[in-house]
Amino acid sequence: MIPSSKHIICLPFLLFSLLTFLFCALLHNCSAIDDITVITDTQTLTSAGEIYKLGFFSPLNSSNRYVGVWYNKVSVQTIVWVANRDNPIDGSSGVLRIAADGNLELLDEGQVPVWATNISNIAVNNSMVELIDSGNLVLRQLNDRKILWQSFDHPTDTLLPTMMVGSNKRKMLTSWKGGSDPSTGTFFSAIEFLDIPQVVVWNVSKRYWRSGPWNGRIFIGVFAMYSVYIDGFDIIKDEDTVYLTYNYDNRSSYKRFVLDQYGALLERRWDEQMNVWREHTPLDEANAECEIYGRCGPFGNCNNLGSPICSCLNGFVPKFADEWRQGIWSGGCTRKTELKCNRNISSSSAEGEKEDGFLKMEMMKVPDFAYWRTPLNTKECEQDCLSNCSCLAYSFDGGVGCMIWGQSLVDIRRFPKGAGADLYIRVAYSELDIAGHCITYEPSTASIIGSITVVRIPQVWIPLKAFYVETYSSDTGKWETRTVSCAPETTITIKSLSSLDVVAHNGVMYWIDGDSQEIRIIDLKNYKGKYGSYQCKALKLPVDYDSNGCLGAPLEGLLCYCSVNKRNRMLNLWELRLVENSGEENFNEEEWNWCHVHKDINIGEMSWWPSKPIALNPLDRDIVLFDYNFSYVYNIRTRRMEPLIEPSEFDVASHKKNLQRY
């Protein structure tokens, strides 16, 4: 057997094999072995194109010996497959050979088999082993070159081009236990095909991450696939099994996907100039909390840009309120109002009651366990879901088609712009906002002036067309003065404006103009008028303003308005949201809607009357702070007043000073 640029078929003649063995022993390098040739600890097997190499290795800081495949021309030894990962050899006397039964086997220093291919009924003297340029180690029949066994059917932690990961246990990626320990770790990944294909990573038996459904081009739950083209992925169906494979045209560079010891599925590309592996477009954004499966529990929505990251879907409240406030979100959320179709309503009481509807959420990673349905467009998909009482949500993707969900909605997250799908959540009619479908607004992460925590207006003219505001940024640690001008048709009247009357969130400033019953809005990030100063805009309040109203910016950047009617002691809460299909985000009145979130909450049973609501808790939209010695709050969920802190420990002056720190 003489190495060449072609694949080598080794003839089973004793003399030829003996000569070949001596030749390989001298060169320490072969591309195939037959039933006589062996590979010892100091020898290697190299693919015909010299891309991959097979041999014995020891991981960093370990004396254990393993047989594995690695890149031949990469300066940093990078293992892509391990034969005896769970049965290391102690010492350097191991031997890899073709046994008498035709199988490839690995012997330790005592000539005891520690690993073998275990194929039955191989003809005598009719097998050979070859390392292919794809990195695949194959056991072939000599007479017809039929593949009897291949390493690509038994992957370890690495997915190479043309390799297939399947939906059965034989063809799944399994992580190393540690950086220097290639034994089987706790994480494994495979393609799952319950109804729609998706990639799933498990930690032992628990789901740890998933890619979301495959739409024929990308996995729609992987944010990186929307912004960077990850070439060559494909799903192959074979009878009752599906496989994930990938390939790429540029073979001048090396790249691979690795399931690391922490459960992250990463793409790594070799940087020839710097001699390092670069992590490129990680499939699961390993450092993002929302990538952990079910981070916010059933009916919870995760947003990496939110603070906190978890919130309940619209129409839902935390199932365990105390745990939720402590940042324990695994219990998830429960409905505020039961769906009409789930209640046993008599025909008389049901008369006139309006049907359930859907709230639209954009840019979403859709929930797990989707069912595929036949409707061909969004409208038909909605009707299909609405006609099925067990359907809790639906989504339509052009590549996937109609998806519906009939159980708890788990593993939902909101993506930044340009990614995800529209998800429609079924809610009772009472939970629908007055204007119909609303889209929750989340400010862009671009061009934000740090984290503005305090805003104040040091000088006031009455009436006025221009004035100054002072902003404090936690990023710079400095106060800055900004000039604000108003449109010619707008005159602002500020009668007694203090810092407590101003709400600032993500570089946008809001306050109520008492005379016009409008909210004045200034985008301090980038919106400037023709004179170079920051231009203010106006937006009408959802109801007539009186002294018992307040603004707040509680969760996910939503601006809220809270009001208590003195006459009937009813508490109401509205959220400002972007109207569906309104185009670019801005604060023009016709493109924004007030959505009635909490309607007519009766607080008349309180034994005393607080003067006014002054703010909303920035960590919990259901908590309203009242101006009553600043020591009590109203909990909308429990419908009762609760002490904020003990009055004796409360510093009213300090609290007033810090209320605007949203």
Side-chain angles (χ1 to χ4, degrees):
M1 179 178 60
I2 301 174
S4 71
S5 60
K6 303 293 185 181
H7 296 311
I8 298 175
I9 301 177
C10 300
L11 302 176
F13 299 106
L14 178 60
L15 179 60
F16 185 79
S17 297
L18 181 59
L19 291 173
T20 299
F21 172 70
L22 293 174
F23 184 77
C24 290
L26 290 173
L27 295 183
H28 292 189
N29 188 354
C30 294
S31 55
I33 57 177
D34 66 4
D35 60 332
I36 297 299
T37 307
V38 298
I39 292 181
T40 64
D41 190 271
T42 59
Q43 297 170 326
T44 59
L45 184 71
T46 304
S47 66
E50 299 186 346
I51 298 174
Y52 291 96
K53 184 173 287 189
L54 170 76
F56 288 80
F57 74 96
S58 289
L60 187 67
N61 301 321
S62 173
S63 61
N64 290 332
R65 300 296 285 171
Y66 301 88
V67 167
V69 175
W70 60 88
Y71 291 96
N72 181 42
K73 295 183 179 180
V74 170
S75 58
V76 179
Q77 188 181 57
T78 304
I79 308 299
V80 298
W81 181 79
V82 184
N84 58 320
R85 65 185 308 185
D86 293 313
N87 294 289
I89 295 175
D90 186 13
S92 58
S93 300
V95 174
L96 183 68
R97 71 175 189 181
I98 294 182
D101 63 358
N103 278 287
L104 182 66
E105 68 174 5
L106 175 63
L107 307 178
D108 65 13
E109 58 185 3
Q111 297 299 296
V112 177
V114 297
W115 174 87
T117 53
N118 293 323
I119 302 298
S120 59
N121 302 321
I122 301 177
V124 177
N125 296 334
N126 192 33
S127 62
M128 63 167 287
V129 173
E130 186 178 12
L131 182 61
I132 303 175
D133 278 338
S134 63
N136 191 12
L137 181 68
V138 299
L139 179 68
R140 296 184 186 274
Q141 289 186 160
L142 274 172
N143 56 357
D144 59 5
R145 295 185 58 81
K146 176 184 176 182
I147 294 178
L148 303 171
W149 176 95
Q150 57 183 343
S151 63
F152 272 19
D153 284 342
H154 306 269
T156 51
D157 68 331
T158 301
L159 177 66
L160 295 174
T162 73
M163 181 186 290
M164 294 193 297
V165 174
S167 55
N168 54 48
K169 289 186 177 180
R170 191 181 69 173
K171 282 196 172 186
M172 60 175 54
L173 300 181
T174 52
S175 67
W176 284 27
K177 186 171 287 185
S180 297
D181 184 0
S183 61
T184 304
T186 61
F187 294 97
F188 62 95
S189 178
I191 191 78
E192 183 181 67
F193 187 38
L194 297 178
D195 210 22
I196 305 170
Q198 65 175 352
V199 177
V200 178
V201 175
W202 290 266
N203 185 0
V204 189
S205 60
K206 294 183 178 179
R207 298 165 89 84
Y208 182 75
W209 175 84
R210 66 184 184 92
S211 66
W214 171 254
N215 73 355
R217 188 179 64 89
I218 64 172
F219 293 101
I220 65 173
V222 179
F223 174 63
M225 283 189 161
Y226 289 89
S227 56
V228 179
Y229 178 62
I230 302 179
D231 55 333
F233 275 104
D234 196 12
I235 297 291
I236 300 173
K237 295 183 180 180
D238 180 16
E239 297 179 355
D240 58 344
T241 304
V242 295
Y243 299 98
L244 169 69
T245 186
Y246 88 101
N247 208 340
Y248 61 102
D249 295 330
N250 182 12
R251 294 305 182 89
S252 63
S253 62
Y254 301 123
K255 73 175 183 178
R256 62 201 170 98
F257 286 90
V258 180
L259 179 63
D260 73 11
Q261 67 199 70
Y262 306 107
L265 193 57
L266 306 171
E267 182 188 17
R268 289 176 175 158
R269 296 186 179 183
W270 178 247
D271 187 330
E272 191 71 40
Q273 293 183 340
M274 301 301 295
N275 287 327
V276 293
W277 286 100
R278 302 286 189 189
E279 288 186 1
H280 182 72
T281 59
L283 281 189
D284 69 347
E285 300 173 278
N287 295 322
E289 283 194 74
C290 290
E291 286 300 318
I292 299 175
Y293 183 86
R295 188 74 173 90
C296 300
F299 303 105
N301 174 30
C302 197
N303 179 3
N304 284 319
L305 301 179
S307 180
I309 61 171
C310 287
S311 62
C312 290
L313 299 175
N314 290 332
F316 294 79
V317 294
K319 188 173 183 179
F320 306 106
D322 292 338
E323 291 183 359
W324 193 270
R325 282 193 289 269
Q326 296 171 32
I328 304 172
W329 302 304
S330 57
C333 306
T334 187
R335 287 190 183 277
K336 291 180 183 178
T337 307
E338 191 176 5
L339 296 174
K340 177 186 176 183
C341 68
N342 286 339
R343 299 196 303 270
N344 294 321
I345 306 175
S346 65
S347 57
S348 58
S349 60
E351 186 177 350
E353 183 172 357
K354 296 185 177 180
E355 296 295 331
D356 303 327
F358 295 95
L359 288 177
K360 180 181 179 181
M361 303 182 70
E362 288 188 330
M363 302 177 297
M364 304 300 295
K365 178 179 181 179
V366 298
D368 201 2
F369 307 112
Y371 294 95
W372 182 82
R373 305 288 288 176
T374 57
L376 300 177
N377 55 54
T378 303
K379 189 63 178 177
E380 290 180 9
C381 192
E382 176 181 1
Q383 292 303 314
D384 186 84
C385 184
L386 200 58
S387 64
N388 182 353
C389 195
S390 63
C391 180
L392 304 180
Y394 76 91
S395 180
F396 188 88
D397 177 89
V400 181
C402 177
M403 297 170 280
I404 67 170
W405 288 265
Q407 51 186 304
S408 294
L409 306 182
V410 181
D411 196 34
I412 305 172
R413 68 167 289 193
R414 179 179 292 277
F415 287 127
K417 281 187 175 181
D422 293 340
L423 177 65
Y424 296 84
I425 309 295
R426 190 173 194 163
V427 296
Y429 181 81
S430 60
E431 299 297 334
L432 296 172
D433 59 86
I434 298 172
H437 297 310
C438 282
I439 301 170
T440 300
Y441 165 66
E442 295 197 6
S444 170
T445 58
S447 304
I448 291 178
I449 307 175
S451 302
I452 296 178
T453 55
V454 178
V455 175
R456 68 187 183 191
I457 301 178
Q459 300 182 46
V460 174
W461 295 269
I462 303 175
L464 52 92
K465 293 287 186 183
F467 58 95
Y468 299 111
V469 297
E470 293 181 348
T471 61
Y472 176 83
S473 171
S474 60
D475 285 354
T476 63
K478 298 178 181 179
W479 284 91
E480 294 184 15
T481 300
R482 302 170 188 274
T483 303
V484 175
S485 64
C486 301
E489 67 275 10
T490 303
T491 298
I492 295 180
T493 303
I494 305 175
K495 293 190 173 180
S496 59
L497 188 62
S498 68
S499 294
L500 283 179
D501 299 312
V502 179
V503 170
H505 187 79
N506 281 336
V508 180
M509 172 180 167
Y510 312 83
W511 80 93
I512 298 174
D513 183 346
D515 280 6
S516 63
Q517 297 183 358
E518 292 177 331
I519 293 178
R520 302 299 182 186
I521 303 169
I522 302 172
D523 185 351
L524 296 173
K525 301 187 298 297
N526 48 31
Y527 186 82
K528 290 187 178 183
K530 62 180 180 179
Y531 300 110
S533 57
Y534 293 87
Q535 187 71 55
C536 64
K537 299 181 182 181
L539 177 71
K540 288 190 177 298
L541 289 167
V543 292
D544 289 342
Y545 171 74
D546 60 27
S547 61
N548 282 317
C550 73
L551 291 176
L555 292 175
E556 299 179 4
L558 298 177
L559 179 71
C560 292
Y561 177 71
C562 182
S563 175
V564 173
N565 189 303
K566 287 184 178 180
R567 188 172 57 258
N568 55 20
R569 296 190 176 186
M570 292 293 184
L571 178 69
N572 285 271
L573 177 65
W574 293 263
E575 288 176 351
L576 184 62
R577 302 181 190 168
L578 185 64
V579 177
E580 184 176 0
N581 298 326
S582 63
E584 292 186 6
E585 296 172 2
N586 60 59
F587 294 100
N588 292 336
E589 181 180 351
E590 62 273 10
E591 296 196 358
W592 289 78
N593 260 352
W594 288 103
C595 298
H596 211 162
V597 179
H598 296 298
K599 185 177 182 180
D600 292 338
I601 303 296
N602 188 354
I603 57 175
E605 69 275 10
M606 294 189 302
S607 58
W608 47 266
W609 179 243
S611 62
K612 62 176 286 189
I614 58 167
L616 293 128
N617 189 336
L619 300 181
D620 189 338
R621 74 175 76 194
D622 285 338
I623 300 298
V624 181
L625 303 174
F626 278 86
D627 185 10
Y628 182 78
N629 293 332
F630 295 95
S631 58
Y632 282 85
V633 300
Y634 185 74
N635 188 324
I636 294 175
R637 287 191 299 276
T638 61
R639 297 173 183 263
R640 65 182 182 183
M641 297 297 294
E642 297 174 353
L644 180 64
I645 59 174
E646 291 297 325
S648 60
E649 301 175 2
F650 194 79
D651 183 345
V652 175
S654 296
H655 190 65
K656 286 182 177 180
K657 183 178 180 181
N658 291 302
L659 264 179
Q660 68 272 30
R661 295 176 182 269
Y662 292 163

